[in-house]
Amino acid sequence: MTDSPLATATAQILRAEQQPGQKPVIKTFFDEATFTASHVVHDPQTKTAAIIDSVLDYEASSGRTSHATAEQIVAYVKAEGLSVAWQLETHAHADHLSAAPWLQEQVGGKLGIGAAITHVQKVFGKIFNAGTQFARDGSQFDHLFHDGETFKIGALEAIALHVPGHTPADMAFIIGDAAFIGDTLFMPDYGTARADFPGGDARMLYRSIHRLLKLPCATRLFLCHDYKAPGRDTFAWETTVGAERAHNIHVHEGVTEDSFVQMRTTRDATLSLPTLIMPSVQINIRGGHMPEPEDNGVSYIKIPINTL
């Protein structure tokens, strides 16, 4: 069976490689506190932009939020004269809080995420006993993307590809000749994302990764995280399909699905949960909004005991 969305994405990338006007301008902001790469991508012709996987600063010890990281993005957007059309989330992050609602107030843009966020909301809504007041229909977001859905950022062609495995809702956004792939792959020397969160699936992750690796070799891949592999002294967040095929330590050419699943499952069993998973998930499944304040006007994060 033909993978029509993948074929559409491939054709888009090849067109962009031949037409300089279809190549996006990309500026990355790296938050070392959460090892997160947030990307601002814009159309050089119209100055229309999307902000992908933004970070809200959060101090776990005090429960305080701040906007220093997101303010850098705002400053860049304004300095470049960009018009923000989209605030895109590749998935509901478990390691940082999204700054999308605050950025919407500052520079605008519709908030979009994969349609399978409703599954994530149902799973974590139950884990955190969120109650009936927490909607599990994705209504906290302005738009829910489906696999193969095409859209525009100014004159740039874009398409959303569903790449579950790390979570059920992961999406890759292909914009011109660049793919923003969230937590599927890391740099070749670091490997792949974990698949042991509720709703994660190592076998599904392998298949999603190989879907992405069928894109043209020169396709630019922009990652959501980097942790500096042993022996590398600098952070990195851009690679290519060809480099991942040849050198990714977990899924290079020749690695079978079964061997990957065994490796990923064994490795994941040794990993601690992300430091900010409790606040991050509860806020990000709400589209980056805080839980509804209680009768004293304060929002609270729940911590389930002996559950995760």
Side-chain angles (χ1 to χ4, degrees):
M1 182 181 294
T2 301
D3 186 340
S4 295
L6 186 66
T8 301
T10 298
Q12 171 191 300
I13 291 165
L14 294 176
R15 284 194 297 273
E17 289 176 351
Q18 297 167 4
Q19 302 172 24
Q22 278 293 307
K23 290 190 175 184
V25 176
I26 299 160
K27 172 71 172 178
T28 300
F29 297 83
F30 191 76
D31 176 49
E32 192 168 342
T34 61
F35 305 102
T36 303
S38 302
H39 310 287
V40 180
V41 50
H42 79 261
D43 169 24
Q45 299 179 55
T46 67
K47 296 282 191 174
T48 306
I51 298 170
I52 303 174
D53 293 335
S54 60
V55 174
L56 179 70
D57 299 312
Y58 178 78
E59 186 181 80
S61 60
S62 66
R64 289 193 171 276
T65 62
S66 58
H67 306 105
T69 300
E71 283 171 353
Q72 296 177 51
I73 293 176
V74 172
Y76 173 77
V77 166
K78 291 182 176 179
E80 295 296 317
L82 305 181
S83 175
V84 177
W86 289 100
Q87 304 278 346
L88 298 175
E89 300 286 353
T90 55
H91 61 295
H93 312 278
D95 39 31
H96 71 271
L97 282 61
S98 170
W102 185 81
L103 284 168
Q104 284 183 299
E105 294 176 358
Q106 307 304 311
V107 295
K110 293 190 295 183
L111 177 56
I113 199 167
I117 188 62
T118 57
H119 177 70
V120 179
Q121 289 176 326
K122 290 171 185 174
V123 170
F124 281 99
K126 183 176 181 180
I127 288 172
F128 290 111
N129 198 28
T132 57
Q133 69 272 23
F134 170 56
R136 294 158 170 82
D137 58 1
S139 57
Q140 300 87 346
F141 300 85
D142 298 315
H143 186 80
L144 302 182
F145 284 95
H146 294 271
D147 185 47
E149 184 174 346
T150 58
F151 60 110
K152 287 287 192 76
I153 297 174
L156 294 176
E157 296 180 290
I159 184 170
L161 296 182
H162 188 209
V163 286
H166 174 62
T167 81
D170 281 64
M171 298 297 287
F173 295 103
I174 320 299
I175 302 171
D177 68 331
F180 300 85
I181 61 174
D183 289 10
T184 50
L185 289 162
F186 296 137
M187 292 299 290
D189 59 0
Y190 201 86
T192 58
R194 64 195 298 167
D196 61 328
F197 296 148
D201 186 299
R203 196 167 297 278
M204 192 175 294
L205 177 62
Y206 179 91
R207 295 173 184 177
S208 292
I209 288 170
H210 276 264
R211 189 184 197 200
L212 292 171
L213 294 183
K214 290 177 182 176
L215 293 169
C217 277
T219 304
R220 296 184 288 164
L221 301 181
F222 289 84
L223 317 179
C224 188
H225 293 288
D226 185 55
Y227 304 96
K228 288 198 294 191
R232 175 157 54 86
D233 296 327
T234 58
F235 291 107
W237 47 78
E238 180 181 353
T239 182
T240 65
V241 166
E244 294 283 8
R245 286 183 196 169
H247 303 298
N248 188 285
I249 60 171
H250 294 165
V251 288
H252 57 78
E253 290 177 341
V255 174
T256 67
E257 182 174 317
D258 286 342
S259 64
F260 173 82
V261 170
Q262 181 178 7
M263 177 282 300
R264 190 70 265 172
T265 302
T266 302
R267 180 178 172 83
D268 288 350
T270 70
L271 301 177
S272 300
L273 287 175
T275 302
L276 296 183
I277 187 171
M278 298 299 180
S280 295
V281 172
Q282 289 177 74
I283 290 168
N284 293 336
I285 59 176
R286 291 175 165 87
H289 294 281
M290 301 297 160
E292 284 295 315
E294 297 192 8
D295 55 12
N296 62 353
V298 178
S299 294
Y300 289 87
I301 296 297
K302 293 182 177 180
I303 300 179
I305 305 299
N306 299 326
T307 299
L308 293 177

